[in-house]
Short mmCIF file of all heavy atoms in Angstrom, two decimals:
data_model
loop_
_atom_site.label_atom_id
_atom_site.label_comp_id
_atom_site.label_asym_id
_atom_site.label_seq_id
_atom_site.Cartn_x
_atom_site.Cartn_y
_atom_site.Cartn_z
N LEU A 1 0.82 -1.21 0.00
CA LEU A 1 0.00 0.00 0.00
C LEU A 1 0.86 1.27 0.00
O LEU A 1 0.57 2.23 -0.71
CB LEU A 1 -0.94 0.01 1.20
CG LEU A 1 -2.10 -0.98 1.15
CD1 LEU A 1 -2.91 -0.91 2.44
CD2 LEU A 1 -2.97 -0.71 -0.05
N ILE A 2 1.91 1.27 0.79
CA ILE A 2 2.81 2.43 0.84
C ILE A 2 3.50 2.63 -0.50
O ILE A 2 3.61 3.75 -1.00
CB ILE A 2 3.84 2.27 1.98
CG1 ILE A 2 3.13 2.39 3.33
CG2 ILE A 2 4.94 3.31 1.86
CD1 ILE A 2 4.01 2.04 4.51
N ALA A 3 3.94 1.53 -1.11
CA ALA A 3 4.61 1.62 -2.41
C ALA A 3 3.65 2.12 -3.48
O ALA A 3 4.02 2.96 -4.32
CB ALA A 3 5.19 0.27 -2.80
N LEU A 4 2.42 1.64 -3.48
CA LEU A 4 1.46 2.09 -4.48
C LEU A 4 1.07 3.55 -4.27
O LEU A 4 0.90 4.30 -5.23
CB LEU A 4 0.22 1.20 -4.48
CG LEU A 4 0.46 -0.23 -4.99
CD1 LEU A 4 -0.82 -1.05 -4.91
CD2 LEU A 4 1.01 -0.22 -6.41
N ALA A 5 0.95 3.97 -3.01
CA ALA A 5 0.68 5.38 -2.73
C ALA A 5 1.84 6.25 -3.20
O ALA A 5 1.63 7.34 -3.76
CB ALA A 5 0.43 5.58 -1.24
N SER A 6 3.06 5.77 -3.00
CA SER A 6 4.23 6.51 -3.48
C SER A 6 4.25 6.58 -5.00
O SER A 6 4.59 7.61 -5.57
CB SER A 6 5.51 5.84 -2.98
OG SER A 6 5.56 5.84 -1.58
N ALA A 7 3.88 5.48 -5.65
CA ALA A 7 3.85 5.46 -7.11
C ALA A 7 2.82 6.45 -7.65
O ALA A 7 3.07 7.14 -8.64
CB ALA A 7 3.54 4.05 -7.61
N VAL A 8 1.68 6.55 -6.99
CA VAL A 8 0.66 7.52 -7.40
C VAL A 8 1.19 8.94 -7.21
O VAL A 8 1.00 9.82 -8.06
CB VAL A 8 -0.65 7.30 -6.62
CG1 VAL A 8 -1.61 8.46 -6.82
CG2 VAL A 8 -1.31 6.00 -7.04
N GLY A 9 1.86 9.19 -6.10
CA GLY A 9 2.47 10.50 -5.87
C GLY A 9 3.50 10.86 -6.92
O GLY A 9 3.54 12.00 -7.41
N ILE A 10 4.34 9.90 -7.29
CA ILE A 10 5.34 10.13 -8.33
C ILE A 10 4.65 10.42 -9.66
O ILE A 10 5.06 11.32 -10.41
CB ILE A 10 6.29 8.92 -8.45
CG1 ILE A 10 7.16 8.81 -7.20
CG2 ILE A 10 7.17 9.04 -9.69
CD1 ILE A 10 7.95 7.51 -7.12
N ALA A 11 3.60 9.69 -9.97
CA ALA A 11 2.87 9.90 -11.22
C ALA A 11 2.24 11.29 -11.27
O ALA A 11 2.30 11.97 -12.30
CB ALA A 11 1.81 8.82 -11.40
N ILE A 12 1.65 11.73 -10.17
CA ILE A 12 1.04 13.06 -10.13
C ILE A 12 2.11 14.14 -10.28
O ILE A 12 1.94 15.10 -11.05
CB ILE A 12 0.24 13.25 -8.83
CG1 ILE A 12 -1.00 12.35 -8.85
CG2 ILE A 12 -0.15 14.70 -8.61
CD1 ILE A 12 -1.73 12.27 -7.52
N TYR A 13 3.21 14.00 -9.56
CA TYR A 13 4.29 14.98 -9.66
C TYR A 13 4.85 15.03 -11.09
O TYR A 13 5.11 16.11 -11.62
CB TYR A 13 5.40 14.63 -8.66
CG TYR A 13 6.54 15.60 -8.68
CD1 TYR A 13 6.44 16.84 -8.07
CD2 TYR A 13 7.73 15.29 -9.34
CE1 TYR A 13 7.48 17.74 -8.10
CE2 TYR A 13 8.77 16.19 -9.38
CZ TYR A 13 8.65 17.41 -8.75
OH TYR A 13 9.68 18.30 -8.79
N THR A 14 5.01 13.86 -11.70
CA THR A 14 5.52 13.80 -13.07
C THR A 14 4.55 14.48 -14.03
O THR A 14 4.97 15.24 -14.91
CB THR A 14 5.73 12.33 -13.50
OG1 THR A 14 6.69 11.74 -12.63
CG2 THR A 14 6.23 12.24 -14.92
N ALA A 15 3.26 14.24 -13.86
CA ALA A 15 2.27 14.85 -14.75
C ALA A 15 2.27 16.37 -14.61
O ALA A 15 2.20 17.10 -15.62
CB ALA A 15 0.89 14.29 -14.46
N LEU A 16 2.36 16.88 -13.39
CA LEU A 16 2.38 18.33 -13.17
C LEU A 16 3.65 18.96 -13.74
O LEU A 16 3.60 20.03 -14.35
CB LEU A 16 2.23 18.65 -11.69
CG LEU A 16 0.87 18.34 -11.07
CD1 LEU A 16 0.90 18.59 -9.57
CD2 LEU A 16 -0.22 19.16 -11.73
N THR A 17 4.77 18.31 -13.54
CA THR A 17 6.03 18.82 -14.07
C THR A 17 6.01 18.82 -15.60
O THR A 17 6.42 19.79 -16.24
CB THR A 17 7.22 17.99 -13.55
OG1 THR A 17 7.19 17.99 -12.12
CG2 THR A 17 8.53 18.55 -14.03
N TRP A 18 5.52 17.73 -16.17
CA TRP A 18 5.42 17.63 -17.63
C TRP A 18 4.50 18.72 -18.18
O TRP A 18 4.80 19.33 -19.20
CB TRP A 18 4.90 16.25 -18.03
CG TRP A 18 4.65 16.12 -19.48
CD1 TRP A 18 5.57 15.90 -20.46
CD2 TRP A 18 3.38 16.25 -20.14
NE1 TRP A 18 4.95 15.87 -21.68
CE2 TRP A 18 3.61 16.08 -21.52
CE3 TRP A 18 2.09 16.48 -19.70
CZ2 TRP A 18 2.58 16.14 -22.44
CZ3 TRP A 18 1.07 16.54 -20.62
CH2 TRP A 18 1.32 16.36 -21.97
N ALA A 19 3.39 18.98 -17.51
CA ALA A 19 2.45 20.01 -17.97
C ALA A 19 3.11 21.39 -17.95
O ALA A 19 2.93 22.19 -18.88
CB ALA A 19 1.19 20.00 -17.12
N GLY A 20 3.86 21.68 -16.91
CA GLY A 20 4.56 22.96 -16.84
C GLY A 20 5.60 23.13 -17.94
O GLY A 20 5.71 24.20 -18.56
N ILE A 21 6.34 22.08 -18.19
CA ILE A 21 7.36 22.14 -19.25
C ILE A 21 6.70 22.25 -20.62
O ILE A 21 7.17 22.98 -21.49
CB ILE A 21 8.30 20.92 -19.17
CG1 ILE A 21 9.11 20.98 -17.88
CG2 ILE A 21 9.23 20.87 -20.37
CD1 ILE A 21 9.91 19.73 -17.59
N THR A 22 5.60 21.54 -20.80
CA THR A 22 4.89 21.61 -22.08
C THR A 22 4.33 23.02 -22.30
O THR A 22 4.36 23.53 -23.43
CB THR A 22 3.76 20.56 -22.11
OG1 THR A 22 4.34 19.28 -21.93
CG2 THR A 22 3.02 20.59 -23.43
N LEU A 23 3.84 23.64 -21.25
CA LEU A 23 3.36 25.02 -21.37
C LEU A 23 4.50 25.95 -21.78
O LEU A 23 4.32 26.83 -22.63
CB LEU A 23 2.73 25.48 -20.05
CG LEU A 23 2.20 26.90 -20.04
CD1 LEU A 23 1.07 27.07 -21.05
CD2 LEU A 23 1.71 27.27 -18.65
N ALA A 24 5.67 25.77 -21.19
CA ALA A 24 6.82 26.59 -21.57
C ALA A 24 7.21 26.34 -23.03
O ALA A 24 7.59 27.28 -23.74
CB ALA A 24 8.01 26.28 -20.65
N THR A 25 7.09 25.10 -23.49
CA THR A 25 7.36 24.78 -24.89
C THR A 25 6.38 25.50 -25.81
O THR A 25 6.77 26.04 -26.84
CB THR A 25 7.27 23.25 -25.12
OG1 THR A 25 8.16 22.60 -24.24
CG2 THR A 25 7.62 22.90 -26.55
N ILE A 26 5.11 25.50 -25.43
CA ILE A 26 4.10 26.18 -26.24
C ILE A 26 4.36 27.68 -26.30
O ILE A 26 4.26 28.30 -27.36
CB ILE A 26 2.69 25.87 -25.70
CG1 ILE A 26 2.36 24.40 -25.95
CG2 ILE A 26 1.65 26.77 -26.33
CD1 ILE A 26 1.11 23.93 -25.24
N VAL A 27 4.72 28.27 -25.17
CA VAL A 27 5.00 29.71 -25.13
C VAL A 27 6.22 30.03 -26.00
O VAL A 27 6.21 31.00 -26.78
CB VAL A 27 5.21 30.19 -23.68
CG1 VAL A 27 5.76 31.60 -23.64
CG2 VAL A 27 3.91 30.11 -22.91
N ALA A 28 7.27 29.24 -25.89
CA ALA A 28 8.46 29.48 -26.71
C ALA A 28 8.14 29.31 -28.19
O ALA A 28 8.62 30.08 -29.03
CB ALA A 28 9.59 28.53 -26.29
N GLY A 29 7.32 28.32 -28.52
CA GLY A 29 6.92 28.13 -29.92
C GLY A 29 6.07 29.29 -30.42
O GLY A 29 6.20 29.71 -31.57
N TYR A 30 5.22 29.82 -29.56
CA TYR A 30 4.39 30.97 -29.93
C TYR A 30 5.27 32.19 -30.20
O TYR A 30 5.05 32.92 -31.16
CB TYR A 30 3.38 31.26 -28.82
CG TYR A 30 2.53 32.46 -29.10
CD1 TYR A 30 1.48 32.38 -30.01
CD2 TYR A 30 2.77 33.67 -28.47
CE1 TYR A 30 0.68 33.48 -30.28
CE2 TYR A 30 1.99 34.77 -28.72
CZ TYR A 30 0.95 34.69 -29.63
OH TYR A 30 0.18 35.78 -29.89
N ILE A 31 6.26 32.40 -29.34
CA ILE A 31 7.17 33.52 -29.55
C ILE A 31 7.92 33.36 -30.87
O ILE A 31 8.08 34.31 -31.63
CB ILE A 31 8.15 33.66 -28.36
CG1 ILE A 31 7.39 34.10 -27.12
CG2 ILE A 31 9.27 34.63 -28.68
CD1 ILE A 31 8.20 34.02 -25.84
N ALA A 32 8.36 32.13 -31.14
CA ALA A 32 9.07 31.88 -32.40
C ALA A 32 8.16 32.12 -33.59
O ALA A 32 8.58 32.69 -34.60
CB ALA A 32 9.60 30.45 -32.43
N GLU A 33 6.91 31.72 -33.48
CA GLU A 33 5.97 31.90 -34.59
C GLU A 33 5.65 33.37 -34.82
O GLU A 33 5.59 33.83 -35.96
CB GLU A 33 4.68 31.14 -34.30
CG GLU A 33 3.66 31.25 -35.41
CD GLU A 33 2.41 30.49 -35.11
OE1 GLU A 33 2.45 29.56 -34.29
OE2 GLU A 33 1.37 30.84 -35.70
N ARG A 34 5.46 34.10 -33.74
CA ARG A 34 5.09 35.52 -33.88
C ARG A 34 6.27 36.38 -34.32
O ARG A 34 6.06 37.48 -34.81
CB ARG A 34 4.56 36.04 -32.55
CG ARG A 34 3.28 35.40 -32.10
CD ARG A 34 2.14 35.73 -32.98
NE ARG A 34 1.84 37.15 -32.82
CZ ARG A 34 0.95 37.79 -33.52
NH1 ARG A 34 0.25 37.17 -34.41
NH2 ARG A 34 0.75 39.07 -33.31
N SER A 35 7.49 35.90 -34.16
CA SER A 35 8.65 36.73 -34.49
C SER A 35 9.17 36.49 -35.90
O SER A 35 10.13 37.10 -36.32
CB SER A 35 9.77 36.50 -33.49
OG SER A 35 10.23 35.16 -33.59
N GLY A 36 8.57 35.60 -36.64
CA GLY A 36 9.04 35.34 -38.00
C GLY A 36 8.18 34.31 -38.68
O GLY A 36 6.98 34.20 -38.43
N THR A 37 8.82 33.53 -39.51
CA THR A 37 8.08 32.49 -40.23
C THR A 37 7.72 31.37 -39.28
O THR A 37 8.42 31.13 -38.29
CB THR A 37 8.95 31.93 -41.38
OG1 THR A 37 10.15 31.40 -40.81
CG2 THR A 37 9.27 32.97 -42.39
N PRO A 38 6.62 30.66 -39.52
CA PRO A 38 6.21 29.58 -38.62
C PRO A 38 7.25 28.47 -38.53
O PRO A 38 7.96 28.18 -39.48
CB PRO A 38 4.93 29.05 -39.27
CG PRO A 38 4.47 30.15 -40.15
CD PRO A 38 5.70 30.89 -40.60
N THR A 39 7.32 27.87 -37.36
CA THR A 39 8.24 26.77 -37.12
C THR A 39 7.43 25.51 -36.85
O THR A 39 6.21 25.52 -36.96
CB THR A 39 9.13 27.05 -35.91
OG1 THR A 39 8.30 27.14 -34.75
CG2 THR A 39 9.91 28.33 -36.07
N GLN A 40 8.09 24.45 -36.46
CA GLN A 40 7.40 23.21 -36.16
C GLN A 40 6.65 23.29 -34.84
O GLN A 40 5.85 22.43 -34.52
CB GLN A 40 8.36 22.05 -36.12
CG GLN A 40 9.38 22.14 -35.00
CD GLN A 40 10.30 20.96 -34.97
OE1 GLN A 40 10.12 20.03 -35.72
NE2 GLN A 40 11.29 20.99 -34.11
N TYR A 41 6.88 24.31 -34.04
CA TYR A 41 6.22 24.45 -32.74
C TYR A 41 5.05 25.42 -32.86
O TYR A 41 5.02 26.46 -32.24
CB TYR A 41 7.21 24.93 -31.68
CG TYR A 41 8.28 23.94 -31.40
CD1 TYR A 41 9.51 24.04 -32.01
CD2 TYR A 41 8.05 22.88 -30.55
CE1 TYR A 41 10.49 23.13 -31.78
CE2 TYR A 41 9.03 21.95 -30.31
CZ TYR A 41 10.25 22.08 -30.92
OH TYR A 41 11.21 21.17 -30.67
N ASN A 42 4.08 25.09 -33.65
CA ASN A 42 2.90 25.94 -33.78
C ASN A 42 1.96 25.69 -32.62
O ASN A 42 1.47 24.60 -32.42
CB ASN A 42 2.18 25.66 -35.09
CG ASN A 42 3.02 26.06 -36.28
OD1 ASN A 42 3.78 27.01 -36.21
ND2 ASN A 42 2.90 25.33 -37.37
#
């Protein structure tokens, strides 16, 4: 039970971290798109 609870905690932390990094990727892609020709990060 402790191990499974820890695994759920790790999964939640990973999902939140991934979401934050993905948001930063989208923002950087938006800046790249608005500053010139479109890139692969639309």
